[in-house]
Amino acid sequence: MQLSDEEEDYNLSLSKFESMLKTNKVLFFDSEEFEEIILHYIDMGKTSLAKKALKLALEQHPKSTGLKLVQVEMLVYEDQLDAAEKMLNELYAIEPNNEEIYIQKANICSKRDQHEKAVELLKIALEYTDDYADVYNLIGMEYLFMDNLEMAKDSFIKCLEEDLEDQSALYNAVYCFEFLDQNKEAIDYLNHYIDKNPYSEIAWHQVGRLHYGLKEYEDALRAFNYATLIDDEFMGAFMEKAKALERLKLYPEAIESYERTIELDDATSYALLRIGKCHERIGNTALAIKYYNQTVHEDPLLDKGWIAITDFYVREKNFQKALFYVNKALAIDNQNQLYWKRYAAINKEMNFFEEAEFGYRKAVEFGDYQLDTWLFWSDILQFLGEFDSAIQTLLQATEYFPEENEIEYRLAGLYFMVQDTTKAKFHLSNGLRLNLDNYVCIEDLFPVVWEEKTVQNYIAKHKK
């Protein structure tokens, strides 16, 4: 890649300065060279080298305002705000029209959380600057700190009017639109932007992302296609393109796009998992399994990988294999509710009811409070003849689902089983009140209770 003359000079200055440090010879640099060297070290986080360069610079150019402003930047960087402010006031007395003074004063106000004052100072800087884009960008950031997204958005848009290529301003403008729930407006804005800058892969990528969020997958795909045509190494765009293709059920094309992300960077567990899912959708079961195995190999902590491979074998009714994989997953993370629920469901399918009960108990213990989990758990306890435990489980469930007829009918049946007729009738009337037609729950789950005359009469009375 050809370097510009400016970049050549800059690299020469840097290497000249670094060789000077090694030889202890003092060489002469003009003040602008020093400014660039110092700012380079600040950006790199090499503070001690920046300080060395600044000390030398001020010895060679004691009157340079530019270098003193760099010194102010160093002081601000090190949170010496009072010293920086004192210097700025001295510089202001000499050069009241220097926009950099207002920018640094604004920087100090920003550090002190005086963001409105910072905006006022930056607006003054606008009167003296040639670099409007930079100042508008800074104003936008201050409005972001104040959570004034509307004004921030306007500032970033103004920045882009001055400098179409400012990518951070483009990202920030889109962020503001999204935060304000103005996704359609964001697309309109980006389309106008693309009219002026049609080869901006970032803009096309953002348009695609916004269409994807609105479930407009064909429009999203069109935008991602442009982004990847402009930059055929844009990994994020290939990843999003693959997701859009998957939504459009274009699985072979989605696989191709996910594979491109793997060519561009190391394989991610997410891409491997999605490739597996696509192969499964088009019936390539052997390839699906191959990629699921690669997923869990790449990232053993990614629960989606273990779940994909377990669910695959459950769908194939190969419960032995499914159990093998869910046990492997639990060996890595035995506090994962999604694993425990599958462990329970698979054991239930294999008629290992005690293991299934243990699995549901663990799933709840680790935060699975879904209705079906409580119901499966209590049904298994009932099947094992542990009526009191089943009752306790359902009473716990009522804390999360206080008005759920499925729970009430089960409690009624269980209380009839343990001969507590008062509580049984209380819960039965609750169930009938919440959903009259679902009394068949009793017939299905408690055939012995269902045949009792008192129960039949009670239900008949309610139906009237």
Side-chain angles (χ1 to χ4, degrees):
M1 197 176 75
Q2 194 70 40
L3 289 178
S4 68
D5 291 347
E6 271 182 32
E7 285 171 315
E8 289 256 358
D9 293 346
Y10 170 60
N11 288 342
L12 275 172
S13 300
L14 259 180
S15 51
K16 182 176 144 190
F17 179 76
E18 287 182 0
S19 69
M20 180 187 84
L21 289 179
K22 285 173 194 159
T23 57
N24 283 331
K25 280 184 193 162
V26 176
L27 302 173
F28 182 83
F29 295 84
D30 70 34
S31 61
E32 283 185 6
E33 278 183 294
F34 266 128
E35 280 179 42
E36 286 188 346
I37 290 166
I38 298 158
L39 292 172
H40 167 78
Y41 288 132
I42 292 175
D43 288 342
M44 299 287 286
K46 296 180 175 177
T47 324
S48 61
L49 278 172
K51 282 182 178 171
K52 263 186 198 169
L54 180 63
K55 184 171 177 292
L56 263 172
L58 288 168
E59 283 167 9
Q60 290 187 9
H61 305 279
K63 290 198 163 71
S64 162
T65 308
L67 284 169
K68 285 179 180 170
L69 281 164
V70 172
Q71 189 176 7
V72 167
E73 202 164 324
M74 281 280 297
L75 290 166
V76 172
Y77 180 77
E78 295 186 318
D79 275 335
Q80 297 181 41
L81 302 184
D82 293 340
E85 194 169 32
K86 185 168 177 288
M87 270 194 80
L88 280 171
N89 290 334
E90 288 164 12
L91 288 169
Y92 174 74
I94 307 162
E95 285 190 31
N97 296 352
N98 186 328
E99 86 268 19
E100 197 57 40
I101 292 170
Y102 296 100
I103 289 171
Q104 289 303 335
K105 280 191 164 197
N107 196 359
I108 290 170
C109 290
S110 186
K111 287 238 175 189
R112 290 174 172 159
D113 286 335
Q114 300 166 342
H115 300 296
E116 285 180 21
K117 200 169 168 192
V119 169
E120 284 168 30
L121 287 159
L122 289 167
K123 283 180 177 170
I124 299 170
L126 275 176
E127 295 169 25
Y128 300 113
T129 190
D130 296 327
D131 189 354
Y132 293 107
D134 188 40
V135 180
Y136 278 127
N137 207 347
L138 292 169
I139 291 172
M141 293 310 292
E142 292 306 317
Y143 279 124
L144 275 186
F145 290 134
M146 290 189 267
D147 289 330
N148 187 338
L149 277 294
E150 202 61 67
M151 292 298 282
K153 180 184 76 180
D154 291 346
S155 303
F156 293 127
I157 288 171
K158 281 178 182 158
C159 167
L160 288 161
E161 283 164 9
E162 297 295 331
D163 177 7
L164 269 181
E165 301 295 333
D166 191 324
Q167 291 182 0
S168 73
L170 186 60
Y171 278 120
N172 282 330
V174 173
Y175 167 79
C176 293
F177 275 114
E178 283 190 274
F179 197 89
L180 293 161
D181 276 334
Q182 299 170 351
N183 291 26
K184 294 264 190 208
E185 293 88 334
I187 292 170
D188 291 342
Y189 170 72
L190 284 166
N191 284 332
H192 286 305
Y193 175 88
I194 286 166
D195 288 341
K196 293 186 224 161
N197 191 4
Y199 296 107
S200 166
E201 71 277 24
I202 304 290
W204 281 115
H205 175 242
Q206 293 296 311
V207 167
R209 246 182 16 80
L210 290 157
H211 277 303
Y212 186 92
L214 294 166
K215 297 187 166 62
E216 296 163 359
Y217 302 120
E218 284 180 4
D219 290 328
L221 179 58
R222 192 176 71 89
F224 294 136
N225 274 332
Y226 279 119
T228 54
L229 279 170
I230 295 162
D231 178 357
D232 65 356
E233 295 191 352
F234 190 168
M235 197 190 93
F238 278 106
M239 185 66 87
E240 302 281 352
K241 178 179 166 178
K243 285 161 66 179
L245 285 161
E246 214 181 322
R247 291 285 188 178
L248 292 164
K249 299 187 168 47
L250 299 168
Y251 300 115
E253 295 89 335
I255 290 168
E256 207 178 303
S257 205
Y258 283 124
E259 281 174 344
R260 180 73 182 125
T261 69
I262 292 169
E263 284 167 27
L264 290 168
D265 201 0
D266 290 340
T268 63
S269 52
Y270 178 80
L272 293 167
L273 173 66
R274 296 318 313 166
I275 293 172
K277 293 260 185 198
C278 290
H279 278 302
E280 190 179 346
R281 295 264 156 70
I282 50 182
N284 299 338
T285 49
L287 280 169
I289 281 298
K290 177 188 152 195
Y291 278 100
Y292 292 152
N293 274 312
Q294 281 183 15
T295 305
V296 294
H297 177 74
E298 184 66 35
D299 182 2
L301 295 175
L302 180 78
D303 57 11
K304 287 188 174 78
W306 292 107
I307 286 165
I309 205 164
T310 303
D311 288 355
F312 173 84
Y313 283 117
V314 167
R315 281 193 291 277
E316 297 278 303
K317 302 251 183 293
N318 188 340
F319 299 115
Q320 206 70 50
K321 271 265 177 78
L323 189 60
F324 170 76
Y325 279 103
V326 86
N327 277 327
K328 279 185 90 161
L330 283 165
I332 292 165
D333 176 7
N334 69 353
Q335 298 192 359
N336 187 313
Q337 49 171 285
L338 300 167
Y339 296 165
W340 280 115
K341 190 166 184 169
R342 280 163 176 78
Y343 172 87
I346 294 161
N347 275 297
K348 190 171 121 196
E349 287 288 350
M350 296 169 80
N351 296 328
F352 298 152
F353 295 108
E354 287 182 1
E355 288 83 351
E357 186 276 323
F358 179 72
Y360 286 124
R361 182 165 11 123
K362 284 289 188 187
V364 169
E365 185 185 321
F366 294 119
D368 179 353
Y369 305 131
Q370 289 182 308
L371 179 62
D372 66 340
T373 307
W374 293 107
L375 300 181
F376 286 140
W377 185 16
S378 67
D379 290 352
I380 283 182
L381 284 166
Q382 181 205 328
F383 179 82
L384 293 169
E386 296 180 26
F387 301 135
D388 288 330
S389 296
I391 287 169
Q392 288 315 309
T393 297
L394 288 167
L395 289 173
Q396 229 182 311
T398 58
E399 292 172 28
Y400 300 93
F401 301 96
E403 293 277 279
E404 180 48 64
N405 73 86
E406 293 258 7
I407 295 174
E408 295 299 328
Y409 281 121
R410 279 170 171 78
L411 279 168
L414 287 161
Y415 276 122
F416 277 122
M417 296 293 281
V418 297
Q419 318 280 289
D420 191 334
T421 318
T422 312
K423 283 183 181 168
K425 284 183 173 172
F426 169 75
H427 287 288
L428 182 55
S429 71
N430 272 348
L432 292 161
R433 172 176 62 80
L434 292 164
N435 184 343
L436 184 60
D437 298 331
N438 212 14
Y439 63 81
V440 290
C441 231
I442 301 280
E443 188 179 0
D444 293 342
L445 291 168
F446 304 94
V448 178
V449 171
W450 175 253
E451 282 162 17
E452 285 184 27
K453 213 70 197 129
T454 49
V455 175
Q456 290 287 339
N457 292 341
Y458 200 80
I459 292 169
K461 200 166 79 183
H462 256 271
K463 282 166 93 173
K464 285 175 190 170

